[in-house]
Amino acid sequence: PEPRDRGGVGVTGGAEQGSRQVVCAEAVAWMRQQSALPGSIFTSLPDIIEVELPEKEYKAWFLDAATVAMEKLPPNSYALFYQTDVKATKKGTGESRIMSEWIDKSYLCQKAAEAAGCTLLWRKVVCKGSPAALNNAHPSFTNLLCFTNSVERFEANKFWTPDVFPRGL
């Protein structure tokens, strides 16, 4: 098959040609330095165990990172977040875990969008297995959320997908 151009209008939020630039930097600091991002974003912010912060500090960090990402969107762009909630634990592992808090990342993304002046266009639930599966460590679903800074451009009747679907669909 022929290679496809993955850039262009609608994919990169308005860029004329497909392009890719890799920047090795701390992402939030880098975004703050930009007047605007080069286009729309699709991201998954790190989980609490990856940044090694206590729950309160993690939620503040997550909210700040998501807000900056949405504030830096160029006009008529989208920010998609693929985020799995986390069951934060005080101590223990496996069956002896003591859950201290369920961190709802879709809620944090909503708060960030409100602060950045963005609107939620849609929310999907991506199942990691059977909807009836039991999992003590992590939720068995992931949130897929799409925000925009311009609702005039979105045509809902051209975007038909199930609200709940299995991962990999």
Side-chain angles (χ1 to χ4, degrees), residues 9-164:
V9 176
V11 175
T12 60
E16 292 302 316
Q17 292 184 358
S19 63
R20 180 177 179 181
Q21 178 185 15
V22 177
V23 178
C24 294
E26 196 284 319
V28 179
W30 179 84
M31 285 189 295
R32 285 189 204 288
Q33 295 172 353
Q34 309 307 305
S35 58
L37 295 174
S40 296
I41 61 169
F42 189 115
T43 190
S44 183
L45 295 176
D47 206 349
I48 191 169
I49 60 170
E50 296 170 291
V51 294
E52 299 178 346
L53 292 170
E55 288 98 347
K56 185 176 181 179
E57 286 84 0
Y58 174 76
K59 290 189 290 185
W61 173 85
F62 187 103
L63 185 59
D64 180 56
T67 302
V68 170
M70 287 189 253
E71 286 174 341
K72 296 296 182 166
L73 286 174
N76 301 313
S77 295
Y78 304 96
L80 287 92
F81 289 85
Y82 186 76
Q83 301 294 157
T84 302
D85 295 345
V86 66
K87 297 177 183 178
T89 59
K90 286 188 177 184
K91 62 181 178 178
T93 58
E95 300 275 331
S96 64
R97 293 174 71 243
I98 298 175
M99 191 170 107
S100 62
E101 180 177 5
W102 181 293
I103 299 175
D104 183 347
K105 294 180 187 174
S106 66
Y107 168 72
L108 295 175
C109 287
Q110 288 273 26
K111 284 182 69 173
E114 187 175 295
C118 289
T119 303
L120 177 67
L121 290 178
W122 48 260
R123 176 184 181 182
K124 307 294 178 178
V125 174
V126 182
C127 295
K128 294 181 181 180
S130 166
L134 300 176
N135 189 329
N136 188 34
H138 301 283
S140 58
F141 66 91
T142 296
N143 302 290
L144 177 58
L145 305 114
C146 179
F147 298 94
T148 187
N149 54 10
S150 176
V151 293
E152 292 85 34
R153 188 170 167 212
F154 183 72
E155 296 180 52
N157 62 338
K158 292 184 178 181
F159 187 80
W160 292 91
T161 61
D163 292 326
V164 179

